Amino acid sequence: MSTTPPVLAAELASAWVDIQRRHPELPDLAAPESLIGESSSACGAELSFERLLHEAVHGVAAARGVRDTSRAGRYHNRRFLAIAEEMGMAHTEEPHPSSGFSLVTLTPEARRRYRSTAERLQRALRAHTAATRTDTARSFRGPAARHGSSGGGVRVKAVCDCGRNVRVVPSVLEQAPIMCGACGKQFRIPEVMAVG
């Protein structure tokens, strides 16, 4: 049976502490493990240092009592963007119609500042991915996998150029394109920016 490597939880907690050193009002991360399986279509599904810093922006907003999102947490407003910029993130385009300023990225300065922390976290994420992808004859993958359903995997956000998104198991998207009914283009899984 595959379990979450303790190294990943420790690296998440360590990276959070590194962010706290620069932003002391950031509350403690109660359960690093909760970020491992959680995904939010507005915040991004892939766990990375950039995603962790995005979540830290929400943490600072909460500590300040700032309402940084609306529409059930999907739309990231200008208050979110202002805190993100303070913390070393930028949004170079117009706000997205449904998610606002959610797609913030690390600035070059923040990328340099957090380089070693991001690299350690990335190594732990790779080890976690390798550990959780290991299939043996004794691995139990649940009823969806036994019956050939696509529901047996972790869903990620696939986006369309027109701004719509859907949650999908990556292997389903690999089988055949999923087309957007609004604009006719393919949904795609956005590439995660590597820190480096």
Side-chain angles (χ1 to χ4, degrees):
M1 171 165 53
S2 171
T3 60
T4 301
V7 169
L8 179 54
E11 285 300 337
L12 281 165
S14 177
W16 192 264
V17 167
D18 192 23
I19 298 167
Q20 279 182 312
R21 275 194 281 277
R22 291 167 174 85
H23 306 280
E25 66 191 306
L26 178 63
D28 291 339
L29 182 59
E33 302 83 6
S34 68
L35 291 172
I36 295 168
E38 185 204 300
S39 62
S40 162
S41 61
C43 300
E46 284 293 320
L47 186 55
S48 63
F49 182 78
E50 192 166 73
R51 166 80 191 281
L52 189 66
L53 191 57
H54 177 123
E55 295 301 333
V57 171
H58 290 302
V60 168
R64 292 179 182 175
V66 171
R67 186 169 179 211
D68 62 341
T69 64
S70 59
R71 301 181 196 162
R74 289 184 308 274
Y75 191 87
H76 292 57
N77 60 34
R78 290 191 186 278
R79 290 180 294 268
F80 170 84
L81 180 59
I83 296 170
E85 288 172 343
E86 285 178 39
M87 296 180 71
M89 300 189 91
H91 190 280
T92 58
E93 302 170 10
E94 288 297 311
H96 189 276
S98 63
S99 62
F101 297 98
S102 68
L103 300 176
V104 288
T105 58
L106 288 167
T107 62
E109 179 184 332
R111 199 174 296 282
R112 284 189 297 277
R113 181 183 325 135
Y114 291 113
R115 176 181 224 104
S116 65
T117 300
E119 287 173 352
R120 281 193 322 271
L121 181 58
Q122 192 59 39
R123 281 192 298 273
L125 285 165
R126 279 193 300 267
H128 171 73
T129 299
T132 56
R133 283 193 180 157
T134 302
D135 251 342
T136 67
R138 297 187 44 81
S139 296
F140 177 72
R141 298 191 37 99
R146 288 195 317 273
H147 299 294
S149 164
S150 63
V154 175
R155 287 171 171 73
V156 298
K157 180 173 78 168
V159 298
C160 177
D161 291 338
C162 74
R164 298 179 72 217
N165 64 67
V166 296
R167 308 290 294 163
V168 63
V169 177
S171 61
V172 170
L173 200 55
E174 290 169 7
Q175 291 171 11
I178 297 174
M179 308 306 287
C180 176
C183 71
K185 293 185 179 176
Q186 290 183 21
F187 282 94
R188 60 180 170 68
I189 299 172
E191 292 190 26
V192 178
M193 288 183 59
V195 176

